[in-house]
Amino acid sequence: MALIVQKFGGTSVADVECIQNVARRVVATKQAGNQVVVCVSAMSGETNKLVGLAHAIGGDDPLDREYDVLLSTGEQKTIALLAMAIHQLGHRARSFTGGQMGMRTDGAHTRARIRSVETERLRSVLDEDGVAVIAGFQGVDEEGNITTLGRGGSDTSAVAVACALEADVCEIYTDVDGVYTTDPRLVPQARKLGRLSYEEMLEMASMGAKVLQIRSVKFAMRYGVPIHVRSSFSADEGTWVTREEDVMERLVVSGVTCNRDEAKIHVKGVEDQPGIASKLFTPLSDSGIIVDMIIQNVSSDGSTDVTFTVPKGDYRKALDLATKTVSEIGAESVDGDEKIAKVSVVGLGMKDHAGVATRMFAALAKEGINIQMITTSEIKISVVIEEKYTELAVRALHAALVENGGEAPVVP
Ligand code: ADP
Ligand code: ASP
Ligand code: MG
């Protein structure tokens, strides 16, 4: 007997028929001799609707505590409906909100982090041969306030519960049948991957592949729980996200991703002296702004340029803070650009394969796309480009590095 955590995303529970389909799937898993915990999202479109209501009343900056109380209602509806649907099929099921099951988080409303997960109530349902149905995306802080985990957070709820229960697998059911070499909605030639390492999936999620929330992959990696991403609408095997040792096919490039959620800030003519970078970035981190890429030029005549990226939502604030610091440290100027995108290629095989960067740059050059910034890690190369070229860049890189395997594109 296996213990399986199944997570169903918004499109999988979009209406009554979909919820009944999920109930049938859950019951079939149980009848095959497994224990099942199900984690669900809000019905498709519901969270966006609630976000809209919050802004309609609360303006640009609605009270974040109340925002979380409101957004958590989406998932609360689904758990009750799914528990009813499972009952209709003659099986026991009990629904739990995040607070009821003991999903404890910190107090950072709208982007809370999980601190601990209680398993007692879930275990008692399983021991009585029932299905535990839990609300994704939500928890409670130390004082009992409802918190939410950031958009896409139900993935993280499900994986965290799977880790706490030491489940055999966490199945993520969604509207695509696995993790693809790139977003299949953008590139029809994208190919479904059979297996992928946690490290690759982490890079892909961090670089914009929203099929799994980043933190869910971090949990799975830390506790070694395999994730199986698959379709709610077919019985086909999906993609296994697992330890590097279990990935047979070490692809040089396993994925191409894009992220349009960042903006760039460019500080020109900064004095090349100890302490300047710290002066520039401390006010940003003190304000909770997460800086992603940072590039500093080699200095010439004692001064240098620093360019960095921040989430688009924090752009105005970051630009104001940087402008203030610039007047204190006496840099030449500061400006920014919101119309950028980060395009990345990811693959385990890059560890021992040279030449991916060259082929990447050549493919972009062939399309006349200018590269503004470049960063690399052991298994990833990212470039910042003008936003309007995002889709073209993703298609060109997919064609050159995934579809076209080893062949190098010709630079005009
Ligand atoms: P859910 O509501 O089930 O959580 P999401 O919309 O959050 O679903 O995630 C699934 C979507 O992720 C797919 O519809 C697809 O468009 C997108 N996606 C982006 N990159 C990839 C990728 N590399 N592989 C598969 N899907 C991807
Ligand atoms: N309902 C939340 C959202 O739309 C959480 C989730 O679906 O994962 O972001
Ligand atoms: Mg999602």
Side-chain angles (χ1 to χ4, degrees):
M1 181 171 65
L3 199 169
I4 301 177
V5 175
Q6 301 186 320
K7 180 256 169 177
F8 292 88
T11 41
S12 312
V13 291
D15 55 27
V16 168
E17 278 89 58
C18 289
I19 292 177
Q20 287 166 332
N21 173 48
V22 168
R24 281 192 291 275
R25 214 152 176 155
V26 170
V27 166
T29 311
K30 193 166 163 285
Q31 283 177 328
N34 304 296
Q35 291 186 310
V36 191
V37 172
V38 197
C39 175
V40 283
S41 289
M43 294 160 82
S44 153
E46 179 73 15
T47 309
N48 286 345
K49 218 186 287 169
L50 295 169
V51 169
L53 284 173
H55 289 296
I57 301 265
D60 285 347
D61 205 9
L63 285 176
D64 56 6
R65 182 185 181 279
E66 307 314 326
Y67 186 87
D68 279 355
V69 172
L70 180 66
L71 260 63
S72 68
T73 61
E75 273 70 13
Q76 191 169 333
K77 271 193 200 170
T78 327
I79 51 170
L81 292 170
L82 180 59
M84 288 177 196
I86 296 171
H87 263 273
Q88 290 291 326
L89 298 176
H91 289 257
R92 284 168 197 255
R94 253 192 118 157
S95 69
F96 297 97
T97 63
Q100 287 173 328
M101 63 144 289
M103 176 69 73
R104 309 239 168 260
T105 70
D106 62 16
H109 285 293
T110 77
R111 48 178 161 190
R113 283 175 176 266
I114 297 172
R115 286 218 169 125
S116 64
V117 182
E118 279 169 32
T119 54
E120 218 178 295
R121 292 190 82 176
L122 304 181
R123 288 238 186 250
S124 74
V125 174
L126 298 179
D127 289 346
E128 286 169 11
D129 198 32
V131 175
V133 182
I134 60 170
F137 179 56
Q138 57 179 266
V140 283
D141 71 7
E142 249 172 21
E143 285 150 28
N145 298 302
I146 295 175
T147 54
T148 62
L149 309 179
R151 299 305 303 265
S154 298
D155 298 330
T156 304
S157 309
V159 177
V161 165
C163 295
L165 287 168
E166 296 179 22
D168 296 278
V169 55
C170 183
E171 296 181 332
I172 303 283
Y173 288 88
T174 183
D175 57 359
V176 280
D177 57 1
V179 181
Y180 278 68
T181 46
T182 192
D183 189 340
R185 293 182 204 289
L186 219 63
V187 184
Q189 293 85 353
R191 180 168 72 79
K192 188 171 94 184
L193 295 157
R195 268 173 191 270
L196 197 64
S197 69
Y198 293 124
E199 289 80 359
E200 285 168 299
M201 191 64 236
L202 194 58
E203 290 282 17
M204 279 175 70
S206 312
M207 296 305 130
K210 70 164 186 166
V211 61
L212 285 175
Q213 203 198 32
I214 305 167
R215 273 189 240 147
S216 70
V217 189
K218 286 190 181 163
F219 266 107
M221 184 155 120
R222 186 174 336 141
Y223 293 93
V225 170
I227 299 180
H228 185 187
V229 180
R230 54 194 307 193
S231 165
S232 300
F233 308 102
S234 91
D236 294 349
E237 180 97 346
T239 301
W240 285 85
V241 183
T242 173
R243 292 179 315 167
E244 188 178 329
E245 303 88 278
D246 301 328
V247 179
M248 303 299 168
E249 206 187 1
R250 271 170 80 95
L251 295 170
V252 178
V253 174
S254 49
V256 179
T257 61
C258 61
N259 180 353
R260 295 181 178 94
D261 297 334
E262 288 183 16
K264 183 178 78 167
I265 293 178
H266 177 60
V267 186
K268 222 172 143 194
V270 191
E271 243 185 293
D272 190 21
Q273 270 189 7
I276 293 289
S278 156
K279 279 200 184 119
L280 189 59
F281 291 110
T282 304
L284 298 174
S285 65
D286 286 350
S287 304
I289 297 174
I290 296 170
V291 176
D292 179 29
M293 296 166 96
I294 303 180
I295 289 178
Q296 180 177 323
N297 286 353
V298 177
S299 85
S300 63
D301 16 316
S303 81
T304 179
D305 291 357
V306 179
T307 314
F308 56 94
T309 62
V310 294
K312 256 187 193 147
D314 292 329
Y315 173 63
R316 285 282 146 208
K317 199 160 149 200
L319 194 60
D320 285 349
L321 287 169
T323 308
K324 221 186 267 168
T325 316
V326 158
S327 64
E328 283 162 26
I329 60 177
E332 208 177 297
S333 66
V334 53
D335 57 32
D337 186 358
E338 278 185 283
K339 293 202 167 61
I340 58 154
K342 185 170 67 177
V343 179
S344 313
V345 300
V346 175
L348 268 189
M350 272 189 226
K351 280 185 183 178
D352 33 45
H353 257 82
V356 179
T358 322
R359 284 164 51 208
M360 180 175 185
F361 303 154
L364 294 172
K366 197 172 159 203
E367 299 297 339
I369 301 172
N370 184 41
I371 300 171
Q372 303 178 9
M373 296 168 82
I374 304 170
T375 55
T376 62
S377 80
E378 208 182 11
I379 62 165
K380 174 211 77 191
I381 305 166
S382 299
V383 295
V384 167
I385 59 168
E386 214 180 317
E387 189 177 13
K388 68 179 184 197
Y389 295 123
T390 314
E391 294 186 5
L392 178 63
V394 170
R395 290 202 186 100
L397 293 175
H398 192 268
L401 299 167
V402 180
E403 291 158 46
N404 200 2
E407 265 179 68
V410 183
V411 194

